[in-house]
Amino acid sequence: MSPMNLTAIILIEYDGPAKYIAEDVSNVYGEMTGEHSYQSQAGWDISIFRMFADYLNKKGSPKQDCR
């Protein structure tokens, strides 16, 4: 998958409160840490990218340190 794929689903892990809701637009800065795999309720094996966020910010808000 191209790093410029803006439709990729990514599991983002970080320490701190989450004040985000559906449709919020964010910038996330951190380290890609591999894949997260699980089985869906329908029985499909699914793998998605995993990231640990160092910083994140909601569009129009200051950057938050999540370390």
Side-chain angles (χ1 to χ4, degrees):
M1 179 178 295
S2 166
M4 294 305 294
N5 183 348
L6 301 178
T7 62
I9 297 172
I10 301 172
L11 171 65
I12 300 172
E13 299 177 304
Y14 64 95
D15 295 326
K19 296 181 181 179
Y20 292 84
I21 58 174
E23 306 299 324
D24 281 348
V25 177
S26 303
N27 292 315
V28 180
Y29 307 87
E31 179 180 347
M32 299 301 291
T33 57
E35 291 183 345
H36 174 74
S37 298
Y38 62 96
Q39 190 172 66
S40 73
Q41 291 181 341
W44 294 87
D45 291 327
I46 299 173
S47 294
I48 58 175
F49 292 113
R50 173 183 274 166
M51 171 187 231
F52 188 84
D54 291 325
Y55 300 95
L56 57 91
N57 71 310
K58 191 185 308 187
K59 185 175 180 179
S61 299
K63 189 164 47 171
Q64 299 174 17
D65 188 343
C66 299
R67 290 184 283 172

